[in-house]
Amino acid sequence: LAVPVRLSGGRSRCQGRVELLQASGWGSVCASGWDLAAARVLCRQLGCGRPRLVPVPCSPKAADGAPVALQWVQCVGQEPALAHCVLQPQDAPSCP
């Protein structure tokens, strides 16, 4: 099961806000549990090397993007792609 994912709004394809493709369009990841392990998995999936900066996902800058898609993410850091992490979809209208 693949989860289409991208980084949006950055200066390159390996920079920006994390977004997932849903049936209704792209949604931001504003999730509890997003940390360096999750960023390593995402960077590996996108072929972007090692993460350099992991901002707080619910910071005002991150919250300005697409509607929130994920409420909770749990990665060990060795997963081949974000779809192999534990992902909880957002079911509330705002970030945690």
Side-chain angles (χ1 to χ4, degrees):
L1 178 75
V3 176
V5 62
R6 70 180 182 186
L7 292 172
S8 176
R11 293 182 184 160
S12 75
R13 70 174 192 84
C14 291
Q15 232 181 24
R17 181 178 53 252
V18 181
E19 294 183 348
L20 298 173
L21 186 59
Q22 303 175 292
S24 59
W26 290 98
S28 294
V29 173
C30 185
S32 299
W34 187 266
D35 59 8
L36 188 58
R40 274 197 300 269
V41 172
L42 176 65
C43 288
R44 182 180 310 113
Q45 179 177 351
L46 296 177
C48 291
R50 306 190 99 189
R52 294 187 187 180
L53 177 64
V54 182
V56 176
C58 291
S59 65
K61 187 172 184 176
D64 287 340
V68 176
L70 286 180
Q71 180 176 348
W72 191 71
V73 173
Q74 178 75 42
C75 298
V76 173
Q78 302 304 317
E79 296 89 347
L82 209 57
H84 296 268
C85 297
V86 178
L87 308 175
Q88 180 180 352
Q90 176 71 11
D91 57 5
S94 62
C95 290

